[in-house]
């Protein structure tokens, strides 16, 4: 029997290409409904992600709608040269990077901290109630968030300014002063998305082995030491992966939020690549130029993702691939 089983395992280890193909087809037939479930997702990425990549060629053409895509003049890297030579390029780059940096410093750790705090709550009813309350803002449209911000901070009847005037006799024009734009954007982002971001980290915390905490308690470790030496190392891989994905959006601050809070008085700190593409591409009809700007953002995002993934591997983490 042992000899037969050993002989039966040899062909499996030395399968030819034809045998492997037959094995794959057999497995696909056996799990056919799993592959059927993949079809909607594949169609989504094919139609909305891969097919539109053809439009990136507009960045290398002087697109004229009346000539069409194929008859428009090929200009190569001319739009990129004009974009980099534009006096506003420095302002756009600095504003975009500053908002991304502030989001990375203040917003990215916020869901982690909140998830750690919720993980320490032992009363199940209270924990579920808090989770529900912090999830709700994610489903509020950004237009409503901007409207609420206006209601609270406007100088003409705003709740915050009314109390400031009552206490100090002065009002602060939060919505027009450039110094207040970035703090408002960061606070909006934290309030709206922080609770939703805890879902992934709470799922990662649920997978931590409880026996490690019991062993740490036996060794005399307090709650802070347990979090630092057990909890954080256990979810470090999740944090690194989300950080890598986050780096791909460094030049993408979100058009709707910035556009709703943008006005001529704070434009010097509020104008970013997303709003610039809209103003140039949609309102001025510079389709090829705006496509070049968008392609520049995508290329920088890919480089940052690959670079961050490489650094993560150098420091001993698994990375994305």
């Amino acid at each position: 029997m042992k000899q037969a089983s050993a002989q039966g395992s040899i062909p499996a280890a030395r399968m030819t290409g034809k045998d492997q193909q037959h094995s794959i087809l057999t497995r696909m037939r056996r799990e056919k409904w799993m592959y059927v479930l993949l079809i909607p997702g594949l169609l989504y990425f094919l139609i909305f992600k891969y097919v539109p990549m053809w439009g990136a060629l507009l960045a290398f053409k002087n697109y004229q709608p009346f000539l069409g895509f194929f008859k428009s003049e090929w200009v190569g890297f001319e739009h990129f040269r004009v974009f980099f030579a534009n006096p506003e390029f420095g302002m756009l780059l600095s504003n975009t990077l500053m908002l991304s940096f502030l989001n990375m410093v203040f917003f990215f750790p916020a869901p982690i901290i909140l998830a750690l705090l919720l993980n320490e709550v032992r009363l199940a009813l209270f924990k579920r109630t808090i989770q529900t309350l912090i999830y709700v803002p994610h489903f509020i449209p950004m237009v409503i968030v901007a409207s609420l911000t206006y209601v609270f901070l406007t100088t003409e009847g705003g709740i915050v300014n009314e109390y400031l005037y009552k206490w100090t006799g002065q009002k602060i024009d939060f919505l027009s002063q450039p110094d207040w734009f970035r703090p408002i954007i960061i606070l909006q982002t934290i309030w709206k998305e922080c609770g939703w971001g805890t879902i992934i980290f709470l799922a990662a915390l649920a997978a931590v082995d409880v026996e490690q905490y019991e062993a740490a308690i036996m060794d005399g470790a307090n709650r802070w030491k347990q979090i630092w030496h057990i909890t954080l190392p256990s979810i470090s891989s999740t944090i690194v992966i989300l950080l890598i994905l986050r780096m791909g959006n460094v030049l993408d601050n979100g058009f709707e939020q910035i556009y709703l809070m943008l006005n001529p008085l704070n434009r010097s700190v509020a104008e970013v690549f997303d709003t610039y593409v809209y103003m140039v591409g949609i309102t001025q009809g510079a389709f090829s130029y705006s496509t070049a700007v968008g392609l520049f953002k995508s290329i920088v995002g890919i480089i940052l993702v690959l670079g961050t993934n490489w650094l993560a591997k150098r420091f001993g983490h698994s990375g994305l691939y």
Side-chain angles (χ1 to χ4, degrees):
M1 292 294 293
K2 293 182 178 180
Q3 184 178 0
S5 61
Q7 290 176 352
S9 63
I10 293 176
R14 300 179 181 178
M15 292 176 64
T16 63
K18 187 176 181 179
D19 293 333
Q20 290 179 352
Q21 184 179 4
H22 178 73
S23 176
I24 293 174
L25 292 174
T26 302
R27 187 169 67 252
M28 291 180 66
R29 283 194 296 267
R30 186 174 61 249
E31 302 173 355
K32 59 183 178 180
W33 293 113
M34 297 297 293
Y35 290 97
V36 170
L37 293 175
L38 283 175
I39 293 177
L42 292 176
L43 289 177
Y44 168 79
F45 280 98
L46 180 64
I47 296 173
F48 296 103
K49 300 297 182 180
Y50 287 98
V51 173
M53 286 184 181
W54 176 261
L57 290 176
L58 281 178
F60 305 97
K61 285 176 168 285
N62 185 20
Y63 177 70
Q64 302 294 332
F66 59 88
L67 291 177
F69 178 82
F70 294 100
K71 292 185 179 180
S72 296
E73 180 187 4
W74 181 273
V75 295
F77 292 93
E78 178 65 18
H79 296 302
F80 294 93
R81 185 191 64 80
V82 173
F83 175 56
F84 295 142
N86 192 325
E88 293 187 336
F89 175 76
M91 178 193 70
L92 295 171
L93 183 63
S94 62
N95 290 344
T96 303
L97 291 179
M98 179 56 68
L99 280 176
S100 296
F101 173 76
L102 292 175
N103 272 315
M104 197 69 68
V105 172
F106 294 103
F107 171 66
F108 183 78
I112 303 174
I113 297 173
L114 185 57
L116 292 175
L117 293 175
L118 287 173
N119 191 55
E120 297 299 315
V121 177
R122 293 294 174 260
L123 186 59
L125 179 61
F126 179 73
K127 183 177 181 179
R128 289 196 298 268
T129 303
I130 296 298
Q131 285 180 282
T132 302
L133 292 175
I134 63 178
Y135 291 165
V136 170
H138 172 76
F139 300 98
I140 299 177
M142 186 53 68
V143 175
I144 304 300
V145 176
S147 300
L148 291 174
T149 304
Y150 179 84
V151 169
F152 276 95
L153 300 181
T154 181
T155 56
E156 301 177 1
I159 299 174
V160 175
N161 269 308
E162 288 298 321
Y163 278 102
L164 284 176
Y165 184 77
K166 182 179 179 181
W167 294 334
T168 65
Q170 296 180 349
K171 293 184 178 182
I172 300 176
D173 194 357
F174 294 101
L175 301 176
S176 299
Q177 291 186 8
D179 293 340
W180 285 102
F181 175 79
R182 288 165 181 160
I184 290 173
I185 293 296
I186 300 303
L187 289 174
Q188 283 181 343
T189 305
I190 292 175
W191 178 78
K192 188 176 187 299
E193 302 296 344
C194 181
W196 187 256
T198 61
I199 294 177
I200 296 176
F201 296 107
L202 286 173
L205 289 171
V208 180
D209 188 3
V210 180
E211 293 182 357
Q212 297 185 42
Y213 293 109
E214 295 174 353
I217 294 173
M218 294 294 294
D219 292 337
N222 56 28
R223 298 303 302 175
W224 289 109
K225 289 184 178 180
Q226 293 175 38
I227 292 173
W228 184 258
H229 295 288
I230 298 176
T231 307
L232 287 176
S234 299
I235 65 173
S236 61
S237 59
T238 304
I239 296 174
V240 169
I241 290 176
L242 292 178
L243 177 62
I244 294 172
L245 295 175
R246 182 74 182 177
M247 293 302 295
N249 296 323
V250 165
L251 297 185
D252 187 4
N253 299 121
F255 164 76
E256 187 179 8
Q257 181 185 17
I258 305 299
Y259 183 74
L260 291 171
M261 302 303 300
L262 176 66
N263 59 63
L265 297 177
N266 62 18
R267 182 179 180 274
S268 59
V269 298
E271 190 80 84
V272 294
F273 288 124
D274 296 306
T275 56
Y276 181 72
V277 167
Y278 169 77
M279 295 298 295
V280 174
I282 303 300
T283 62
Q284 300 179 16
F287 301 110
S288 295
Y289 181 76
S290 59
T291 303
V293 178
L295 185 59
F296 163 73
K297 289 173 47 185
S298 300
I299 293 174
V300 172
I302 292 173
I303 294 173
L304 290 175
V305 167
L306 295 177
T308 309
N309 187 75
W310 178 79
L311 286 175
K313 287 187 172 182
R314 288 294 301 269
F315 284 98
H317 295 280
S318 58
L320 291 177
Y321 58 90

